[in-house]
Amino acid sequence: MNFSIENLPYGVFSTAVSAPRIGVAFEDDVLDLALLEIEGLLDTHNLFNQPALNAFMGAGREVWTAVRRRLQTLLSEDMPRLRQLHALIPQAQVTMHLPAHIGDYTDFYASRQHATNVGTMFRGAENALPPNWLHLPIGYHGRASSVVISGTPLRRPHGQLKPSPDAPPIFAPSQQLDFELEVGAFIGLGNELGTPIPIAEAQAHIFGLVLLNDWSARDIQRWEYAPLGPFLGKSIGTTISPWVVTLDALEPWRMAGPAQVDPVPLPYLQSTRPWAYDIPLEVHLNGHLISRTNFNQLYWNVAQQLAHHTSNGCNLRPGDLLGSGTISGDTPDSLGSLLEITWGGTRPLTLPDGSQRTFLQDGDTLTLTGGAQGVGFGEARGQILPALESA
């Protein structure tokens, strides 16, 4: 899992005898921050005996950094006392919950490779990217209520489908259920309505990152998306990993992202510091590796997404979630969706057991993993359940 002392990601956990509260992952354990706060080992007041991270997220970067340093000191110098207090609980004995109350969820379309692949399939290579794609981070407002924690099963949805261009639509279970390999960013400090967040201040407003799978029913989405965009084909469920990795932990892996020179973004989207992160990502289907890529492939980075999202004065709040959009690389083994891997279902994927997939089947388990050296994210995992017999 790579939950080293340099990582210390935050999450919400419960045990058989305790209600949900906040902890950090350390090696194979969870460090109970609510208990440390009660015992006076943290210089905070009632931030961690909470069922969600929102209050801590809203406390701001100075508090985040101070708590992180204090935890590293305790774990380096005071382990006997932590053991005596029973503040370290084996991860195998806890149940993880959503890390925050997610008031709003926005999903972007920020990987150039993914957008080019999908556009080529649907519109041809000459018109693969929409005319605005290289000028702004395209996004849509998703459904926060269907964001779920890793391990939550997903039921195959019913929806309107149009199997043939010459036939009327039908209402039936989706036959093209897909995953999307993404990284999600949790907002910490929010902004007032009408007050944009400049890109230079993004560091103060982004709390941390999680793995994110924005499940997609491609056949439902294809029929419904014009003219307004994703709706029922995307709100079926969004799976996130339970541990939020902070930007402080990821700082050693910060790097420059893809060049943005033709065209150069407008000034409000230009940053003087790099905002890509060297985070290897993997996709496993029923335990078999089917894709490997990197978060640094994202064309529009998380700071640009934040700046654009608030550029009209839209107010974000602690716990709001931004999805990166599907992350795909340049090679066939680095694609972030089955839509791309099988090229719309025309090139079936053969698994090591000999079975083939064009899209996900009932019973399939899809798992996202990722992390840099010593800084792991855990996993975002979900299994496909059969559709209801009637809907």
Side-chain angles (χ1 to χ4, degrees), residues 129-138 300:
L129 292 180
N132 61 349
W133 200 94
L134 291 170
H135 295 273
L136 57 86
I138 294 175
W300 292 109

Side-chain angles (χ1 to χ4, degrees), residues 10-310:
Y10 292 89
V12 174
F13 74 100
S14 63
T15 68
V17 296
S18 68
R21 59 196 189 278
I22 295 168
V24 298
F26 175 62
E27 297 180 350
D28 295 325
D29 295 323
V30 178
L31 180 61
D32 186 342
L33 300 192
L35 178 59
L36 296 190
E37 198 171 51
I38 291 170
E39 294 292 333
L41 294 177
L42 293 177
D43 189 20
T44 55
H45 177 67
N46 200 32
L47 285 181
F48 298 120
N49 191 21
Q50 302 279 349
L53 276 160
N54 296 65
F56 182 53
M57 289 173 165
R61 176 152 298 282
E62 184 176 337
V63 174
W64 309 338
T65 300
V67 169
R68 172 179 167 80
R69 290 173 178 167
R70 174 60 175 160
L71 293 177
Q72 288 178 323
T73 298
L74 288 171
L75 289 167
S76 299
E77 303 176 3
D78 212 359
M79 283 295 288
R81 186 175 185 186
L82 297 180
R83 296 288 185 193
Q84 183 181 25
L85 291 171
H86 303 290
L88 288 161
I89 305 166
Q91 289 192 36
Q93 297 179 12
V94 308
T95 298
M96 299 303 298
H97 305 271
L98 282 175
H101 170 70
I102 303 170
D104 284 293
Y105 162 52
T106 303
D107 194 42
F108 285 89
Y109 188 49
S111 163
R112 185 169 185 171
Q113 295 91 331
H114 173 69
T116 299
N117 290 336
V118 174
T120 299
M121 276 184 258
F122 293 166
R123 294 183 296 273
E126 300 80 7
N127 300 302
L129 292 180
N132 61 349
W133 200 94
L134 291 170
H135 295 273
L136 57 86
I138 294 175
Y140 72 95
H141 293 289
R143 182 71 187 176
S145 65
S146 56
V147 178
V148 296
I149 197 69
S150 176
T152 305
L154 174 76
R155 188 169 295 281
R156 183 177 299 276
H158 282 72
Q160 278 203 26
L161 321 174
K162 204 167 189 300
S164 169
D166 301 323
I170 62 173
F171 186 75
S174 169
Q175 299 303 302
Q176 296 183 352
L177 194 55
D178 200 359
F179 73 91
E180 290 188 345
L181 169 61
E182 302 191 27
V183 170
F186 271 107
I187 299 301
L189 198 63
N191 61 303
E192 295 294 328
L193 180 64
T195 305
I197 298 175
I199 195 168
E201 298 177 13
Q203 188 82 9
H205 292 267
I206 300 170
F207 178 75
L209 307 181
V210 292
L211 302 176
L212 186 151
N213 179 359
D214 196 37
W215 304 89
S216 298
R218 301 295 185 185
D219 40 6
I220 296 174
Q221 182 182 358
R222 184 181 301 110
W223 172 234
E224 73 176 0
Y225 86 101
L228 291 182
F231 185 39
L232 300 182
K234 302 282 285 182
S235 60
I236 53 181
T238 301
T239 299
I240 64 171
S241 54
W243 296 108
V244 187
V245 179
T246 64
L247 294 192
D248 284 341
L250 292 169
E251 188 61 31
W253 313 108
R254 188 189 290 266
M255 61 177 294
Q260 298 178 331
V261 294
D262 187 19
V264 175
L266 293 174
Y268 79 101
L269 292 173
Q270 297 175 19
S271 177
T272 57
R273 67 183 304 177
W275 269 100
Y277 292 91
D278 182 11
I279 303 173
L281 304 168
E282 293 184 352
V283 182
H284 299 259
L285 177 56
N286 298 334
H288 305 302
L289 177 67
I290 63 170
S291 182
R292 180 184 286 119
T293 187
N294 196 297
F295 188 42
N296 62 17
Q297 294 292 306
L298 208 63
Y299 185 86
W300 292 109
N301 63 56
V302 64
Q304 291 173 316
Q305 293 172 8
L306 174 69
H308 184 66
H309 199 319
T310 64

